[in-house]
Amino acid sequence: MSQFAAAQEAAPSGDKHVLKLDDVELNTLIADVSMLTGYTFITHPDVRKVRVSVVSQTPMSTAAVFQVFLTTLRVQGFAAIPAGKDTYRIVPESTAATEAPLSGQGANAFVTEIVKLDFANALDVAQQIKPVLDSQGQIAANANTNTLVIVDYASNLQRVRRMIQTIDRDPAVTETVPLRNVPALEMEAVLNRLQGDASSGGAQGQTSGSQRFLAVASQTSNAVLLRGSASAVEKARQVALQLDTTEPQRDNIRVIPLNYTDAGEIVPILERVGLSIAAQRAPSDTAPPAQTISHHPPTNSLIISGNAETLVAMEKVIAALDVRRPQVMVEAIIVEMSDDTAKELGLQFLLAGNGRSDVPFASTNFSRSAPNLLALTGALLTDGFSDLTVDNPFRDAAISSLTGTAGLSLGFGGQSGDNLFGVILNAVENDTTSRILSTPFGMTLNNATSTLIVGQEIPVTTGQVLGDANSNPFRTVEREDVGIQLEVTPRIGENDTVRLDIRQEVSSVFGSIGTVTPDLILDKREITASVLADDGEIIVLGGLVEQTDTIRESKVPVLGDVPVAGRLFRSDAKATTRTNLMVFIRPTIVRNKEDARAATDQKYLYVRGQELMRGIPEENSIDRFVADVISGPGPMGSATDPVR
């Protein structure tokens, strides 16, 4: 609530008053109004020099008397400025203009108003409004904020506002110019370039702010939108129409170089688009010449010939497809842990007599156990066991049997009269633990397949033919990859999620099937899956866990089952094989050169760190190799100058 309004509410308003003052001092009128309204007035010294006459024929309310008082002050060149509650200062208008409040009541009150302009220039509007202000009114323009600050009587400000509203209107017009022959993007570039040349082409070509326009292409409708002053838009429209009168036959070929996509891959797509456009035409339409599409592999460019409609549609398709595709670096961690244990305990004995003995022949022999008791006994009983110059098949068999011995072998034997005896105890325990850790990784484009193979190619027999009488035999073989294989196709989705279609294989050669055939046994572990992962997230594809327990027992029937003593007639073996394979995958999205540089630096730094840990000399480091090969620093920028 303004100060005047608050004071007026406190003053009596129900009484009616008649003013009859003839040629009295202005101070007299001020005193009467102060008595009627209850307001306090602080007067300027010049007020004492002024005399006034105020006469009313009809009674007036207190508020009306106060408005008459303000009007009288205005006629005499004075104004009442609020100075506190129920208090006013009466000063000359020249002083009141600098102290006018932002709001007030009454048409004769000095008021300050701030006007924000939307379209018109504040400096220009200030020059147009200044003549209509009161003699003591003031106006100031701020070019930075495009605002006006106006100080004037409230009654005059109403007229000033209406004038400003009339002036501050958007002079720009918008017009759409449809094109038939010239592509909209080309027309946009021509019009904007023409305007730029006109604005900087000297005195004859300069364009004022009111004559400027903006051209925007609409590829969907092959039209150009013009916005600006009416005269500028009209001139631009005439230019566009004149340029669009070019005959289609004179501009129906486009040569479009591609930046990221293979031109040969886009040709089939564009051919189908052309067929679709032709099928959508009405039967009455005049069929234009069929479009032709080809590509130039050396420059990776497309050459398209067709009518304007076809060219515009194909340019839109090419612009949407020829974009830089992000890449995905897929890192895999393959951990294979195996544990093989084997235990074997066997006892063999021999008791026999020669031809003059009554002792029968009795022995235990387990084929898995070594050495062979029969071979050893035969070698001991034959002559020439210690003479190496004499051929002794029993001795050779015994030596071969001892060569295959594993673990601990204890035995004794001999001859007592015509009787032979021998005992051999064999005990062995094997424990093999291994861990294979592989970290293959590869980088590929989005929706492209990356394949990584680290291993060997081994021959696998696929066929064998023998001729008559074993003449002209031949064998057919194929090469098969054995090792670590990683095949992945990434597809980036929303929120930086990556779908991975993965085939992971770990294979190795177990050995041959037997001594007769050269065929090999291959160990193979493979995972094929489609998973979803976030950018930089490590997920597990799966684990292959296998445990095989093998218990083998060889014994003499009945005797081997006898408690305690049966140990003499039995051979036991136990083997356990445990394999655990786990595969972890982490995709990393590479969108720009900064991401690619960071990924490269990480791997390069790992290699440099391994070299430093192994003490590789500087002249044999990867930095030196990179400097010698490409004559430049490595990814980390740490390569030394190449040796000249």
Side-chain angles (χ1 to χ4, degrees):
M1 182 178 294
S2 65
Q3 296 177 352
F4 175 75
Q8 184 175 340
E9 290 179 1
S13 59
D15 298 337
K16 299 293 183 179
H17 312 280
V18 177
L19 296 177
K20 290 185 179 181
L21 301 174
D22 184 14
D23 194 22
V24 298
E25 292 183 357
L26 183 55
N27 282 332
T28 302
L29 176 60
I30 294 173
D32 292 342
V33 173
S34 176
M35 184 181 299
L36 294 176
T37 60
Y39 299 156
T40 301
F41 296 100
I42 303 172
T43 62
H44 192 271
D46 294 341
V47 172
R48 292 177 298 178
K49 304 176 182 178
V50 179
R51 302 182 66 86
V52 297
S53 296
V54 180
V55 178
S56 63
Q57 301 297 330
T58 58
M60 297 179 297
S61 64
T62 303
V65 171
F66 186 73
Q67 292 301 322
V68 171
F69 171 68
L70 294 179
T71 303
T72 304
L73 293 177
R74 180 177 179 181
V75 171
Q76 300 299 328
F78 293 93
I81 304 301
K85 184 178 181 181
D86 299 341
T87 303
Y88 289 87
R89 291 188 300 111
I90 300 177
V91 295
E93 287 182 341
S94 59
T95 304
T98 61
E99 300 180 3
L102 292 177
S103 62
Q105 292 190 358
N108 298 301
F110 254 103
V111 178
T112 300
E113 187 162 337
I114 301 175
V115 181
K116 178 71 171 65
L117 302 180
D118 296 325
F119 305 103
N121 184 274
L123 297 176
D124 297 338
V125 174
Q127 295 179 359
Q128 300 177 45
I129 296 299
K130 188 172 183 179
V132 301
L133 296 179
D134 188 82
S135 60
Q136 298 301 325
Q138 298 182 11
I139 183 170
N142 189 331
N144 294 330
T145 59
N146 201 37
T147 56
L148 296 173
V149 180
I150 307 172
V151 180
D152 203 350
Y153 285 102
S155 60
N156 198 33
L157 277 178
Q158 296 179 2
R159 182 177 61 163
V160 172
R161 290 194 204 97
R162 289 193 296 267
M163 294 180 63
I164 293 176
Q165 292 174 359
T166 303
I167 297 173
D168 189 30
R169 292 182 179 178
D170 186 8
V173 296
T174 302
E175 186 168 346
T176 302
V177 181
L179 304 175
R180 300 185 59 184
N181 302 317
V182 181
L185 285 175
E186 183 177 339
M187 183 64 72
E188 174 192 5
V190 170
L191 294 177
N192 288 330
R193 176 66 180 275
L194 179 64
Q195 179 176 236
D197 292 342
S199 62
S200 60
Q204 296 180 352
Q206 289 182 352
T207 303
S208 63
S210 61
Q211 297 297 319
R212 297 187 64 83
F213 64 89
L214 175 65
V216 179
S218 174
Q219 298 185 59
T220 305
S221 57
N222 194 36
V224 62
L225 283 74
L226 302 175
R227 178 175 174 80
S229 64
S231 59
V233 168
E234 179 60 24
K235 292 180 181 178
R237 188 181 72 86
Q238 294 297 333
V239 172
L241 293 178
Q242 292 176 7
L243 294 176
D244 195 44
T245 57
T246 304
E247 293 295 332
Q249 290 77 8
R250 295 175 56 188
D251 190 17
N252 60 347
I253 298 178
R254 295 286 188 276
V255 178
I256 304 176
L258 302 183
N259 297 318
Y260 307 105
T261 308
D262 185 4
E265 297 177 355
I266 297 184
V267 169
I269 300 174
L270 297 180
E271 290 176 344
R272 289 192 290 270
V273 171
L275 294 176
S276 176
I277 294 175
Q280 293 175 3
R281 295 193 183 97
S284 59
D285 291 347
T286 302
Q291 73 278 347
T292 59
I293 305 170
S294 60
H295 72 285
H296 185 233
T299 59
N300 195 36
S301 301
L302 290 170
I303 299 93
I304 306 173
S305 174
N307 62 350
E309 179 185 2
T310 302
L311 292 178
V312 170
M314 292 189 177
E315 285 177 344
K316 292 173 56 179
V317 174
I318 295 171
L321 296 179
D322 187 31
V323 296
R324 175 167 179 164
R325 295 159 58 189
Q327 303 179 90
V328 178
M329 184 175 68
V330 180
E331 300 171 276
I333 301 177
I334 305 172
V335 182
E336 180 179 355
M337 295 176 289
S338 62
D339 187 7
D340 298 337
T341 59
K343 297 180 180 180
E344 188 170 336
L345 178 63
L347 179 67
Q348 303 178 77
F349 69 89
L350 171 70
L351 178 63
N354 56 21
R356 297 182 299 273
S357 173
D358 296 333
V359 178
F361 175 81
S363 71
T364 59
N365 182 22
F366 305 108
S367 59
R368 296 187 320 277
S369 301
N372 191 305
L373 181 60
L374 295 178
L376 289 175
T377 303
L380 292 173
L381 293 178
T382 57
D383 296 334
F385 175 77
S386 59
D387 189 358
L388 299 179
T389 61
V390 179
D391 292 336
N392 190 337
F394 293 99
R395 181 190 61 197
D396 296 340
I399 294 174
S400 176
S401 175
L402 290 172
T403 303
T405 302
L408 175 66
S409 296
L410 298 175
F412 64 91
Q415 181 175 3
S416 176
D418 295 332
N419 302 321
L420 299 175
F421 63 92
V423 177
I424 294 179
L425 175 67
N426 179 242
V428 61
E429 179 176 358
N430 294 323
D431 190 353
T432 303
T433 301
S434 64
R435 184 180 75 123
I436 301 175
L437 177 64
S438 302
T439 58
F441 69 93
M443 184 177 294
T444 181
L445 289 173
N446 185 29
N447 293 312
T449 301
S450 172
T451 302
L452 176 67
I453 299 178
V454 179
Q456 296 176 322
E457 284 188 347
I458 63 171
V460 178
T461 303
T462 59
Q464 185 172 355
V465 176
L466 297 177
D468 296 339
N470 199 22
S471 63
N472 193 25
F474 68 90
R475 222 167 20 113
T476 59
V477 296
E478 288 184 358
R479 298 286 177 175
E480 184 170 341
D481 295 326
V482 175
I484 297 175
Q485 301 183 35
L486 175 63
E487 183 177 313
V488 57
T489 302
R491 292 179 173 85
I492 301 176
E494 61 179 356
N495 299 326
D496 285 343
T497 58
V498 183
R499 174 183 170 179
L500 300 172
D501 296 331
I502 300 174
R503 190 184 75 85
Q504 174 69 62
E505 178 183 317
V506 179
S507 57
S508 60
V509 179
F510 177 78
S512 60
I513 295 178
T515 58
V516 178
T517 174
D519 293 338
L520 301 176
I521 300 176
L522 303 181
D523 288 336
K524 183 177 180 180
R525 293 163 292 279
E526 180 178 351
I527 297 177
T528 301
S530 295
V531 297
L532 193 66
D534 291 329
D535 181 21
E537 177 187 11
I538 299 178
I539 63 171
V540 61
L541 289 185
L544 301 177
V545 181
E546 179 185 17
Q547 179 171 336
T548 303
D549 295 328
T550 304
I551 299 176
R552 292 176 295 184
E553 184 181 69
S554 298
K555 64 182 178 180
V556 177
V558 180
L559 296 179
D561 296 330
V562 175
V564 182
R567 178 72 266 179
L568 302 175
F569 304 93
R570 186 171 68 244
S571 176
D572 296 330
K574 181 178 180 181
T576 300
T577 301
R578 184 183 297 107
T579 302
N580 187 4
L581 173 67
M582 304 290 288
V583 179
F584 301 90
I585 293 289
R586 183 179 76 170
T588 303
I589 300 176
V590 179
R591 297 189 181 275
N592 47 49
K593 64 179 182 180
E594 288 78 13
D595 295 343
R597 180 64 180 268
T600 304
D601 290 349
Q602 178 186 3
K603 300 303 180 183
Y604 191 86
L605 185 61
Y606 173 79
V607 175
R608 286 290 295 126
Q610 292 293 319
E611 290 181 343
L612 294 176
M613 292 179 62
R614 297 176 183 179
I616 296 178
E618 183 66 28
E619 58 271 13
N620 296 330
S621 66
I622 187 174
D623 284 340
R624 174 64 64 177
F625 179 77
V626 170
D628 293 341
V629 172
I630 65 176
S631 300
M636 300 298 296
S638 58
T640 57
D641 294 335
V643 178
R644 299 299 182 187

